[in-house]
Amino acid sequence: MLKDAITDNHNGTYTVRFFQEDPAFGVTATYVTVDDDFPLRHGSPVYAQAPAGELWPAVMEKAYAKFKGSYGLIGNGGLPGQVAFDLTG
């Protein structure tokens, strides 16, 4: 599911699909594009980290922060049900 949500645009950007509920149109897909410039501290990612240098957690997190408005707005985890809906529709 996550693999299908992320598209590598092959230009240093990624497009991630999320879902949102629209009163007029029902559940709709929303696409968020982010670059590969992730926040670092001392050469390590500040936020999402994955073993073996996998990039998808950082891509997904950055796109979700953009989708919701900022890293600060997603920093406390939010409501798990809402996050699951945003990812799966």
Side-chain angles (χ1 to χ4, degrees):
M1 176 189 72
L2 292 177
K3 180 181 174 184
D4 291 338
I6 301 172
T7 301
D8 182 348
N9 299 320
H10 302 289
N11 63 358
T13 67
Y14 299 86
T15 300
V16 181
R17 181 192 65 228
F18 297 107
F19 294 92
Q20 57 187 12
E21 193 161 6
D22 182 304
F25 300 105
V27 177
T28 59
T30 299
Y31 296 88
V32 176
T33 299
V34 295
D35 62 26
D36 60 0
D37 185 21
F38 303 105
L40 302 176
R41 182 181 302 130
H42 307 295
S44 296
V46 174
Y47 301 111
Q49 299 179 30
E54 293 180 32
L55 195 57
W56 71 265
V59 169
M60 183 66 73
E61 183 180 49
K62 185 172 184 176
Y64 195 62
K66 185 174 179 181
F67 178 66
K68 289 299 194 179
S70 73
Y71 278 103
L73 292 174
I74 66 168
N76 293 322
L79 300 170
Q82 183 63 53
V83 175
F85 176 83
D86 292 343
L87 293 173
T88 65

